[in-house]
Amino acid sequence: MYWNADLECVPLEQRRELQLERLKSLVRRVYENVPHYQRVFREAGLRPDDILTLDDLAKLPFTTKDDLRRTYPFGLFATPLRNTVRVHASSGTTGKPTVVGYTRQDVDIWSEVMARTLTCAGVTQDDIIQIAYGYGLFTGGLGVHYGAEKLGATVIPVSVGNTKRQIMLMQDFGTTVLACTPSYALHLAEVLEESRVDRTRIRLRVGVFGAEPWTKQMGRELESKLNIVAIDIFGLSEIIGPGVASECLYNTGLHIFDDHFLPEVIDPVTGKQLPPGEEGELVITTLTKEAFPLIRYRTRDITKLYEEPCPCGRTHVRMSKILGRTDDMLIVRGVNVFPSQVESVLLEIGQTEPHYLLVVDRRGPLDQLEVWVEVSDKVFADEVRHLETLEKTIQRELESTLGIGVKVKLVEPKTIERSQGKAKRVVDKRDLYNRDK
Amino acid sequence: MWVKQISVFLENKSGRLAAVTRLLADHGFNIRALSIADTSDFGILRLIVNDPAHANRVLKEAGFTVSETEVLAVEVPDRPGGLARVLDLLHQAGINIEYLYAFVSKAGENALVLMKVEDLQRAVDVLSAQGITIQGHDVVHQI
């Protein structure tokens, strides 16, 4: 079952022709419309006419999250705001978010790739889909929403949270597809187990899980607890949101919709392209995006690519489940968290030592983020109240910057490990990444 | 007139209090009085020792976060109503007490209570005027 067989199952050669044609037009478009690209192309001694084959892609400079930060908020947009019908934002590496934009055509393409994603998961217009991704600036909720509507499924746009109501709707509306982060799905599954819900009233059959990495083991747990097929979907707001890649029912990795998103895997140190099957950093070029196109965007996600065809008949390049990160970004309850954001908040408050540690744990199924901060002689006073106020201030500022709940813990000085080179800022007690394949 | 108290920041985890008292013991300090204020995450240990400046140095060198605070050592008659009278006087003078704790040993017939108040000098004046003895560190640290 395909959403768009003409594009999903074409012979590789044919897709490569399409990719090259789109790449050439993209390069010209960004060169003419985005000062940043004009500058970096010139610095690299490149003109749009130099891109003649797909191999020439490797000549183009990378785009990084830093470039997005430097051009905040709209500096990388390639169309005027007048033509932009939507903006979304996700966390940047410091205080300011990363902003992305969509023209009407971008939203159409996003809906298309999400409809393909859902079809990969076996979802049809006969399904009732409960979307428990967050709606709002986060791309998860609205991204899945538009795809599900395009597909013609019945959409319940419930957004995340209020687990009891989620379970009520699931029973009363006869939800067949659950779309949310895998950690929230696990939470739902456990609440469902504890409540004495008549399981014959739960008609779930598919889970569409993304926005954070999850292991096969967690997938098996979700499948048995919820009696579903669990499908891993991949996306990031910079590229479009959910809908960049998806598993199909054959469980052979995630099909990257590479007529729109051209993938490479590179050595994160040398920047050299790696052959299929080798592990490295995923780099994506958005071939068709109008408002916010990206050339060779470094996702910092580690994966491998596979080119051999999948038994499902799709000829897209596939990627393994995410194997890790090349930076210290954490994903907590679907939200990206960078240690540098915590650092900038602490520096702004200015009362503590710049020694801190992020501790992430999954107590029960929901992730908890603790931020440990060392108490210095400078701030320590004899009064409990004073320290509690400091704790609350840090907590409030962090929550407002990160967009998720945080527990702040004041610790004794020198208890956070000092390292000679790169400071260790993160302790992740969760087991998120597959290393078995 | 007032007494130097040492405050130590402690994380709420087992062995921290033992570590402080062991360190002080190894350096021959005698703890005269102590109290702990605690929250779910951390505590503040307050100590009166015989040589506060030296103890402060030793604790800091061992990596603890330490601060020195001045508190009052008020002699309170060791009988019903003894403390109540002192507190009434402070209340009437509008002086707030942030915390207080008691000495283990007595000063003669009287109990000794340590108080942290907003305005130390005014508290001394109010209490002294009513014949209540405030002990200085020369006496307190040697008890």
Side-chain angles (χ1 to χ4, degrees):
Chain A
M1 197 170 42
Y2 315 106
W3 174 253
N4 194 337
D6 286 351
L7 289 167
E8 294 175 71
C9 308
V10 292
L12 277 185
E13 275 318 302
Q14 227 172 302
R15 180 170 301 112
R16 287 195 179 117
E17 275 173 34
L18 179 66
Q19 286 171 333
L20 177 59
E21 183 192 315
R22 287 179 168 175
L23 178 65
K24 284 179 176 172
S25 127
L26 167 76
V27 168
R28 181 156 297 110
R29 219 154 22 86
V30 299
Y31 187 82
E32 282 164 9
N33 296 304
V34 186
H36 164 82
Y37 285 114
Q38 196 168 94
R39 184 173 58 76
V40 294
F41 280 28
R42 278 184 179 152
E43 281 167 9
L46 280 173
R47 294 187 50 80
D49 296 344
D50 296 332
I51 304 303
L52 299 169
T53 68
L54 280 180
D55 289 338
D56 291 333
L57 179 65
K59 294 178 182 167
L60 295 171
F62 293 114
T63 309
T64 65
K65 191 119 181 159
D66 257 356
D67 295 322
L68 272 54
R69 185 175 54 78
R70 272 196 296 272
T71 52
Y72 174 87
F74 304 133
L76 286 185
F77 281 29
T79 49
L81 274 186
R82 184 164 44 87
N83 298 346
T84 304
V85 298
R86 175 102 60 84
V87 291
H88 280 283
S90 67
S91 24
T93 47
T94 54
K96 297 283 189 192
T98 296
V99 184
V100 297
Y102 304 78
T103 61
R104 195 169 300 284
Q105 184 189 301
D106 291 335
V107 171
D108 285 345
I109 287 171
W110 193 9
S111 310
E112 151 89 19
V113 289
M114 262 320 297
R116 289 191 201 173
T117 295
L118 292 167
T119 309
C120 269
V123 179
T124 71
Q125 62 174 356
D126 296 328
D127 278 297
I128 299 170
I129 178 167
Q130 186 160 336
I131 300 176
Y133 284 108
Y135 278 66
L137 284 177
F138 177 55
T139 50
L142 284 166
V144 178
H145 183 109
Y146 273 61
E149 279 191 355
K150 190 172 182 91
L151 181 66
T154 306
V155 175
I156 311 172
V158 58
S159 195
V160 72
N162 201 341
T163 306
K164 283 211 170 108
R165 188 176 62 165
Q166 301 270 2
I167 291 172
M168 181 191 78
L169 297 179
M170 206 173 271
Q171 298 173 78
D172 297 351
F173 294 1
T175 304
T176 57
V177 180
L178 174 65
C180 61
T181 63
S183 56
Y184 189 63
L186 204 50
H187 177 62
L188 263 168
E190 292 185 1
V191 174
L192 203 53
E193 263 174 11
E194 286 159 17
S195 59
R196 287 192 212 88
V197 170
D198 176 5
R199 294 304 286 253
T200 61
R201 295 192 60 208
I202 302 287
R203 296 177 51 214
L204 280 185
R205 55 177 206 88
V206 177
V208 181
F209 303 134
E212 62 189 20
W214 47 291
T215 57
K216 290 197 164 146
Q217 185 200 345
M218 189 169 166
R220 280 192 291 273
E221 198 179 332
L222 283 166
E223 291 188 330
S224 79
K225 283 189 167 165
L226 291 170
N227 196 22
I228 54 168
V229 175
I231 295 289
D232 193 354
I233 67 169
F234 173 80
L236 57 163
S237 66
E238 296 94 314
I239 299 306
I240 201 157
V244 175
S246 173
E247 279 184 324
C248 70
L249 298 170
Y250 287 89
N251 201 9
T252 55
L254 290 82
H255 301 62
I256 303 175
F257 300 118
D258 55 359
D259 46 335
H260 295 291
F261 315 113
L262 187 59
E264 305 163 72
V265 160
I266 62 158
D267 179 322
V269 179
T270 64
K272 290 253 181 317
Q273 278 182 346
L274 295 173
E278 280 192 34
E279 187 177 316
E281 181 180 333
L282 179 67
V283 170
I284 297 179
T285 300
T286 63
L287 293 174
T288 49
K289 284 254 295 294
E290 289 183 332
F292 190 75
L294 285 173
I295 302 278
R296 302 190 86 200
Y297 183 66
R298 295 190 60 161
T299 66
R300 301 290 174 187
D301 285 314
I302 297 171
T303 186
K304 309 179 214 184
L305 297 181
Y306 306 101
E307 284 186 336
E308 59 273 23
C310 176
C312 75
R314 291 178 182 84
T315 53
H316 295 297
V317 169
R318 281 168 293 127
M319 58 184 260
S320 70
K321 279 171 97 68
I322 299 298
L323 301 166
R325 294 278 303 174
T326 65
D327 63 6
D328 50 10
M329 186 184 89
L330 285 165
I331 304 180
V332 183
R333 280 173 259 152
V335 175
N336 299 347
V337 174
F338 292 93
S340 51
Q341 292 174 292
V342 172
E343 185 161 318
S344 60
V345 166
L346 292 177
L347 286 172
E348 206 162 292
I349 296 173
Q351 292 184 42
T352 58
E353 297 289 311
H355 298 296
Y356 60 91
L357 186 69
L358 280 67
V359 181
V360 199
D361 204 351
R362 190 161 280 171
R363 285 194 206 121
L366 282 184
D367 300 344
Q368 306 286 333
L369 174 61
E370 269 190 7
V371 176
W372 295 13
V373 183
E374 282 188 4
V375 170
S376 64
D377 288 343
K378 194 172 60 181
V379 33
F380 177 59
D382 172 52
E383 285 169 63
V384 172
R385 196 177 24 169
H386 178 80
L387 291 179
E388 283 182 333
T389 307
L390 176 65
E391 232 175 29
K392 287 209 184 85
T393 307
I394 298 173
Q395 183 183 338
R396 200 177 49 237
E397 294 299 316
L398 282 176
E399 287 181 347
S400 127
T401 299
L402 303 179
I404 49 164
V406 175
K407 183 178 178 340
V408 173
K409 187 176 160 189
L410 298 179
V411 299
E412 288 173 28
K414 313 275 188 312
T415 51
I416 294 172
E417 197 188 325
R418 309 291 199 269
S419 57
Q420 294 304 313
K422 200 167 183 268
K424 187 173 168 55
R425 297 300 193 198
V426 172
V427 172
D428 198 335
K429 297 179 177 170
R430 304 169 298 179
D431 176 24
L432 292 181
Y433 297 108
N434 281 294
R435 301 303 314 192
D436 53 12
K437 191 180 165 186
Chain B
M1 185 54 81
W2 27 82
V3 178
K4 273 202 173 18
Q5 166 194 269
I6 291 183
S7 304
V8 187
F9 178 84
L10 292 180
E11 268 172 68
N12 255 2
K13 58 184 187 192
S14 63
R16 298 313 294 152
L17 184 55
V20 175
T21 49
R22 169 56 50 203
L23 182 69
L24 292 174
D26 288 347
H27 285 80
F29 293 105
N30 198 346
I31 299 171
R32 304 298 178 181
L34 88 169
S35 88
I36 293 183
D38 70 314
T39 69
S40 55
D41 291 335
F42 63 84
I44 297 175
L45 171 66
R46 297 173 178 135
L47 293 164
I48 304 293
V49 295
N50 49 345
D51 186 349
H54 186 199
N56 187 339
R57 217 161 41 240
V58 166
L59 285 164
K60 271 194 181 139
E61 276 163 15
F64 288 99
T65 301
V66 187
S67 74
E68 273 184 30
T69 315
E70 283 166 337
V71 293
L72 292 185
V74 182
E75 276 194 21
V76 176
D78 189 8
R79 59 165 185 270
L83 181 59
R85 176 163 175 262
V86 171
L87 299 185
D88 278 343
L89 290 168
L90 292 174
H91 169 62
Q92 280 155 21
I95 297 170
N96 279 328
I97 299 168
E98 283 165 27
Y99 55 81
L100 63 77
Y101 56 104
F103 243 72
V104 185
S105 52
K106 285 189 186 178
E109 285 307 298
N110 294 330
L112 205 52
V113 172
L114 295 153
M115 289 184 190
K116 172 77 193 316
V117 296
E118 290 166 328
D119 186 338
L120 288 166
Q121 188 55 57
R122 229 159 62 70
V124 170
D125 295 345
V126 166
L127 296 175
S128 305
Q130 298 296 323
I132 292 165
T133 307
I134 312 289
Q135 292 292 2
H137 62 90
D138 47 331
V139 174
V140 169
H141 293 310
Q142 301 314 319
I143 286 173

